[in-house]
Amino acid sequence: MKITILLLLSVLMFTSCGDEEKDLSVAFNLEYDDQPLVMFQEYEFGEEGGFPVEFSRISFYISEVEMTVDGQKELFREVDYIDLTESHSTLEKAEEGFIYEIGTTKGDVTDISFNFGLTAAQNATVPADYPSTNALSRTSEYWSGWESYVMMKFEGNIDLDRDGVKEKGIALHLGTDSVMRPTSGTYSDDLAITLDIQKVFNCGEVFDIENTTQIHNLSQVEKSEQLADNIACGLEYVN
């Protein structure tokens, strides 16, 4: 009788441990030329001998955050807004990155996928369609003239004449359905998703920053698409 009770307790304990919920999260880390990117720290734009540059803001929307749980894809988040500015304001913070809390599950998670940017259906809406708690309610991230959300922002200052003064502001704001880019990778409890900004601006050819310090109108969609395409060059899943 005692043996039976002990066996039953062991089974119950094993079952309860297996059913415990676990938190799912990833760290978003920015880099520049394979080193942690720190806001307002000087870097070299482009190839060797390029322009001195500093970044003051990097942010983006992500959508359709899915995880593969016990072999089946599950949607955890429809949309979120990620602002990496504060999380990369010092070297110590940049090394830790932005910790993005996804949700909880009891199953075995093997993969993660999401979009940089919004789906066409999401982008067809406007901030007024949502309560203030929704990421898509941000009026500062919507352009009525484009009928589009600003899906990604790269902002900073650059020294185009190399005189020691960063006299020109950078405001590269990517919008329209055409800049959404899907991504996926293997998930682990200590996953870091790193984005090397140097590679985003220097993927095959150097982005023409001299003539495009700002993206603010529809005639520049091609430039937005170039940077969106380059995300794949700078993106890495580190487990």
Side-chain angles (χ1 to χ4, degrees), residues 6-7 53 74 86 97 124 140 145 155-157 172 180 202 216 237:
L6 286 172
L7 286 171
V53 65
E74 294 185 17
E86 174 58 31
S140 60
E155 297 180 356
N157 301 287
L172 303 173
M180 188 202 79
N202 187 10
H216 277 162
Y237 285 73

Side-chain angles (χ1 to χ4, degrees), residues 16-187:
S16 64
C17 288
D19 287 343
E20 286 183 0
E21 286 194 338
K22 57 183 178 182
D23 296 327
L24 303 176
S25 66
V26 300
F28 281 99
N29 294 86
L30 295 174
E31 294 183 346
Y32 201 87
D33 198 16
D34 298 319
Q35 299 298 318
L37 184 150
V38 179
M39 297 295 161
F40 295 104
Q41 181 170 306
E42 185 173 297
Y43 299 97
E44 191 174 78
F45 188 97
E47 299 172 332
E48 187 175 349
F51 305 108
V53 65
E54 64 184 16
F55 295 94
S56 58
R57 179 192 183 93
I58 295 176
S59 58
F60 47 82
Y61 275 104
I62 61 173
S63 60
E64 296 183 323
V65 182
E66 295 182 333
M67 315 287 285
T68 302
V69 182
D70 293 333
Q72 299 293 322
K73 276 198 169 186
E74 294 185 17
L75 178 67
F76 278 75
R77 297 289 189 92
E78 290 185 358
V79 63
D80 264 313
Y81 179 72
I82 308 294
D83 186 347
L84 301 178
T85 306
E86 174 58 31
S87 63
H88 287 71
S89 58
T90 67
L91 178 59
E92 183 179 10
K93 289 182 177 181
E95 289 174 338
E96 179 181 357
F98 177 90
I99 307 303
Y100 175 55
E101 305 290 345
I102 300 170
T104 61
T105 186
K106 294 180 181 180
D108 181 32
V109 181
T110 54
D111 298 287
I112 179 174
S113 64
F114 62 93
N115 304 313
F116 279 100
L118 304 176
T119 66
Q122 290 168 335
N123 200 37
T125 64
V126 297
D129 294 332
Y130 301 96
S132 59
T133 53
N134 192 294
L136 293 175
S137 68
R138 294 171 175 265
T139 56
S140 60
E141 305 303 318
Y142 187 82
W143 281 335
S144 57
W146 285 45
E147 295 184 342
S148 172
Y149 282 88
V150 183
M151 300 194 193
M152 306 174 199
K153 284 184 176 181
F154 303 95
E155 297 180 356
N157 301 287
I158 193 164
D159 180 5
L160 291 176
D161 56 14
R162 302 185 181 90
D163 67 349
V165 178
K166 298 177 185 68
E167 77 288 345
K168 191 69 175 178
I170 297 172
L172 303 173
H173 296 171
L174 283 54
T176 75
D177 294 347
S178 64
V179 303
M180 188 202 79
R181 294 294 182 272
T183 180
S184 61
T186 302
Y187 178 80

